[in-house]
Amino acid sequence: WQGSGLRRVLDAMIRLDLPTQVVRLGGWVVVTTVVTNVALLSVLGVRVELVGWTVRAGLVAAGLAVMWRPRALASAWKDRAIKRG
């Protein structure tokens, strides 16, 4: 457990502040959901047209961007909440 990759990922996530953790987790959920959906559709033999693949690619790109830059989105979200409040 001490040298595992999972521990390094979790340590990096735990060290973040709460809004940043929530944003990064949201990105991870989006990417995981899309990948799972693609795998299931492939196994079931369901045809997906260009629009479906484009939407999936956009969701994965957005999810990865949120995972790599969670502080930017979290701070923007926080600033927006302060302006509204």
Side-chain angles (χ1 to χ4, degrees):
W1 166 252
Q2 294 297 328
S4 72
L6 179 61
R7 180 180 171 120
R8 281 183 272 141
V9 169
L10 290 177
D11 282 346
M13 182 80 160
I14 290 171
R15 278 190 245 124
L16 299 172
D17 59 302
L18 185 61
T20 307
Q21 284 180 359
V22 171
V23 170
R24 182 171 277 174
L25 181 63
W28 185 83
V29 167
V30 168
V31 170
T32 305
T33 302
V34 171
V35 169
T36 303
N37 179 270
V38 167
L40 283 173
L41 291 177
S42 295
V43 168
L44 296 174
V46 177
R47 254 183 80 138
V48 179
E49 300 299 326
L50 180 62
V51 174
W53 286 116
T54 305
V55 169
R56 284 174 182 82
L59 285 171
V60 167
L64 288 174
V66 167
M67 286 171 60
W68 282 325
R69 302 274 312 214
R71 290 187 206 283
L73 185 61
S75 64
W77 193 326
K78 188 176 179 181
D79 289 346
R80 182 173 176 243
I82 290 171
K83 287 179 184 176
R84 282 186 155 189

